[in-house]
Amino acid sequence: MAKSADAFRTISEAAEEVGAPQHVLRFWETKFAFVTPVKRAGGRRFYRPQDIAVLKAVKRLLHDDGLTIRGVQRLHTEQGLKKLIGAEAAALIEDGDVAISSAKSGTGRLETSKLQQVLADLEQAKARLDAVLSR
């Protein structure tokens, strides 16, 4: 029975779809912060459709376009994930988990400032509750 297009893939399924061995996918995880499969209990990796698109783009850049690992890292830093993977896969990122590039690469400044504001609001609320409870 075939999986749906939106189903998560195991590392063996992802490796087959990308055309790279499993150990290479694990290695790319260590070199590229934007390669972020979901990890379940026991460290098992599951790849979303957008993860597969990112891995295919990395393979294309490394193998077909002849970039080095540092070259792909620099391209990601300078142009972002959507430029890196191309227009055809960018729709997957927008439809799926937009935080792939911002979660680990430091491009989530807007999200960080929002989180800092929420933290400040929570600290103010805690101070008010402490004042009420200490009466």
Side-chain angles (χ1 to χ4, degrees):
M1 176 179 251
K3 287 187 174 184
S4 75
D6 295 335
F8 284 31
R9 306 281 191 255
T10 64
I11 191 166
S12 61
E13 293 168 330
E16 184 177 325
E17 194 169 334
V18 172
Q22 295 177 27
H23 70 275
V24 171
L25 301 187
R26 287 188 211 97
F27 174 72
W28 287 347
E29 253 182 81
T30 66
K31 295 298 178 184
F32 306 114
F34 52 88
V35 175
T36 55
V38 175
K39 289 189 181 176
R40 299 287 187 209
R44 289 198 52 177
R45 291 165 172 83
F46 290 95
Y47 295 85
R48 300 162 289 203
Q50 57 265 37
D51 296 325
I52 301 293
V54 168
L55 291 169
K56 286 180 178 180
V58 167
K59 182 176 186 254
R60 177 181 48 79
L61 290 168
L62 292 172
H63 295 263
D64 299 340
D65 296 350
L67 290 176
T68 63
I69 288 174
R70 186 165 308 259
V72 174
Q73 291 168 337
R74 188 175 303 122
L75 186 65
H76 174 256
T77 302
E78 293 171 358
Q79 297 185 11
L81 187 62
K82 289 182 183 178
K83 283 281 192 190
L84 188 85
I85 63 173
E88 72 278 355
L92 283 174
I93 302 300
E94 290 174 4
D95 292 343
D97 185 6
V98 177
I100 290 175
S101 64
S102 63
K104 290 188 178 180
S105 68
T107 59
R109 289 187 192 99
L110 181 60
E111 290 85 3
T112 302
S113 73
K114 286 181 182 177
L115 288 173
Q116 287 172 339
Q117 182 59 49
V118 168
L119 179 60
D121 292 345
L122 287 172
E123 287 173 343
Q124 289 174 354
K126 182 185 179 299
R128 287 193 302 267
L129 284 171
D130 288 342
V132 170
L133 292 174
S134 66
R135 291 182 189 179

